[in-house]
Amino acid sequence: MKRLLYLDNLKVCLTVLVIFHHAGQAYGDGGGWAYTPSNPAEVMPWIWHFFSVNAAFFMGLFFLISGYFVPASYDKQGTSVFVQKKLIRLGIPLLVMGGLLSVLSGKLEIGHMWYIESLLVFCLIYALIRLICKPIDGKCSSKPTIIGLLIFGGIMGIGSYFIRQVSPQDHWIWPFGIIPLPMEPAHYLQYVMMFVVGILASRFHWLERMSKVTGALSLLIGCTLALGIYLRGGGEWNDFVAQWFGIYESLLCVFICFGLLWLFREYGNWNSKFWQWCAAQAYGAYIFHLLLMIALQNAVDGIWMGAFGKFMFIGVAITIASFVLTWLLRMIPGVKEVL
């Protein structure tokens, strides 16, 4: 498979978005965070809109892009090499960072590495299925349509709606109370479905076949739904979205993800040395950013910048630091196989 620059560049942008998402969690209601500002004035009440829109789609899009490359990787490498490389590239960072986070927190903890662990599990399940079943031949001439995306998002949304009746958003569990695979049931169906649709998109060449009209309309619908979350505050609209949020969020996820894939396919094939460099460091930046961020947040706790100033400073500084740290580590012989 030839290098798809637009997917590399999209992953870079998503990684930066994750870093800024985490940068804001200390200064807003973004769930449990390891650092709390000593100054109670350092708070941004509005940032929950930012969190809500991000959580609706960005990890699902990560899973879709990851799933997109799995079939070709398996076809080229075969079962044993595919599994071996996934254990190295995903398993080693999971064990190292998970062990470090557990030591620092005093309990079994993997933090943001839940994504790496889930991706590893999904890849191993795919390899097991391929041992049993023949691959899809990919001869189907289907392509994404607005109706198809609506149906896909609707199925995801209905499932999510019922899951949230017993497990609301931000409720994390260990399956059966013992399996060390922390997951948020409210979003996990989305992650599984997006990973699977990424595999199908690769087999059926959906990203290449998606028309400009479908892509542009998807982006418009997705952005409109995102705007709807920013307009929440109170009243009937807020009550409506809150009541049907599982469905609303799933539709936002599907449309904005395919819209962004179209947008970057058409306009995001940047091939400068800077973007190539960023793409090479993005995976490591995701892995290392959390510890760097918590350390910097504590270091500047007593410096007044205002909540928004702190948010932007932390986001920019940790983006640069995590990418540079990865670049330096990748100079060590053998590290590139992992990072």
Side-chain angles (χ1 to χ4, degrees):
M1 179 180 290
K2 68 178 182 179
R3 197 79 189 178
L4 298 178
L5 295 176
Y6 75 93
L7 291 182
D8 281 343
N9 297 335
L10 179 53
K11 284 193 294 183
V12 170
C13 293
L14 286 175
T15 302
V16 174
L17 183 59
V18 168
I19 293 173
F20 272 82
H21 182 95
H22 287 157
Q25 286 193 262
Y27 311 105
D29 186 14
W33 192 247
Y35 160 79
T36 301
S38 60
N39 189 338
E42 291 183 346
V43 62
M44 296 180 291
W46 58 267
I47 203 171
W48 72 268
H49 299 91
F50 178 68
F51 295 148
S52 184
V53 171
N54 293 343
F57 81 93
F58 66 170
M59 298 313 298
L61 186 49
F62 265 126
F63 277 110
L64 187 156
I65 295 172
S66 296
Y68 185 84
F69 292 105
V70 164
S73 178
Y74 185 95
D75 292 345
K76 179 181 179 180
Q77 298 169 353
T79 305
S80 60
V81 176
F82 175 83
V83 171
Q84 179 183 346
K85 288 194 172 183
K86 293 304 179 187
L87 289 174
I88 292 174
R89 186 154 173 85
L90 301 174
I92 291 177
L94 174 63
L95 290 175
V96 172
M97 187 58 65
L100 185 56
L101 289 171
S102 297
V103 170
L104 293 174
S105 64
K107 61 179 181 178
L108 190 58
E109 177 66 71
I110 64 172
H112 64 303
M113 298 299 287
W114 69 265
Y115 164 68
I116 305 299
E117 183 177 17
S118 292
L119 185 57
L120 176 59
V121 170
F122 292 174
C123 289
L124 295 179
I125 291 174
Y126 176 84
L128 179 62
I129 292 174
R130 284 292 303 272
L131 282 175
I132 302 171
C133 305
K134 293 182 178 180
I136 301 172
D137 59 23
K139 293 181 180 180
C140 177
S141 60
S142 64
K143 62 181 180 179
T145 63
I146 294 298
I147 297 300
L149 296 178
L150 181 62
I151 293 172
F152 176 62
I155 294 172
M156 181 192 296
I158 292 171
S160 177
Y161 173 82
F162 284 109
I163 290 172
R164 290 165 190 249
Q165 303 308 304
V166 295
S167 182
Q169 188 165 324
D170 294 326
H171 174 231
W172 288 76
I173 64 169
W174 282 26
F176 308 108
I178 56 173
I179 300 177
L181 177 62
M183 62 173 63
E184 182 194 16
H187 280 123
Y188 217 74
L189 176 63
Q190 177 196 123
Y191 303 150
V192 172
M193 292 183 68
M194 293 297 278
F195 182 79
V196 171
V197 86
I199 293 172
L200 296 176
S202 176
R203 286 299 188 197
F204 298 133
H205 308 287
W206 282 345
L207 301 189
E208 295 85 355
R209 292 175 178 172
M210 180 167 52
S211 70
K212 292 184 178 181
V213 172
T214 298
L217 281 177
S218 295
L219 185 61
L220 178 61
I221 294 170
C223 290
T224 301
L225 292 171
L227 179 62
I229 291 181
Y230 277 96
L231 294 176
R232 290 180 64 188
E236 295 182 0
W237 173 247
N238 182 72
D239 295 341
F240 172 81
V241 174
Q243 181 179 359
W244 303 105
F245 193 67
I247 298 174
Y248 187 100
E249 182 187 61
S250 296
L251 293 173
L252 188 161
C253 170
V254 171
F255 282 112
I256 204 166
C257 284
F258 275 85
L260 287 173
L261 288 166
W262 164 80
L263 181 68
F264 274 73
R265 186 194 73 185
E266 296 295 315
Y267 305 105
N269 281 293
W270 314 307
N271 60 355
S272 67
K273 290 184 178 180
F274 171 76
W275 282 100
Q276 292 176 23
W277 181 88
C278 289
Q281 324 310 325
Y283 177 57
Y286 177 88
I287 293 171
F288 297 123
H289 80 274
L290 188 141
L291 289 180
L292 295 175
M293 180 175 297
I294 294 173
L296 182 58
Q297 285 174 330
N298 280 280
V300 300
D301 180 73
I303 302 175
W304 173 251
M305 303 181 195
F308 184 73
K310 279 278 184 75
F311 165 59
M312 292 301 298
F313 171 74
I314 296 292
V316 172
I318 296 305
T319 296
I320 296 172
S322 56
F323 275 76
V324 171
L325 175 61
T326 302
W327 172 63
L328 293 173
L329 290 175
R330 279 166 53 86
M331 292 183 180
I332 301 173
V335 173
K336 284 187 177 181
E337 293 183 14
V338 180
L339 299 177

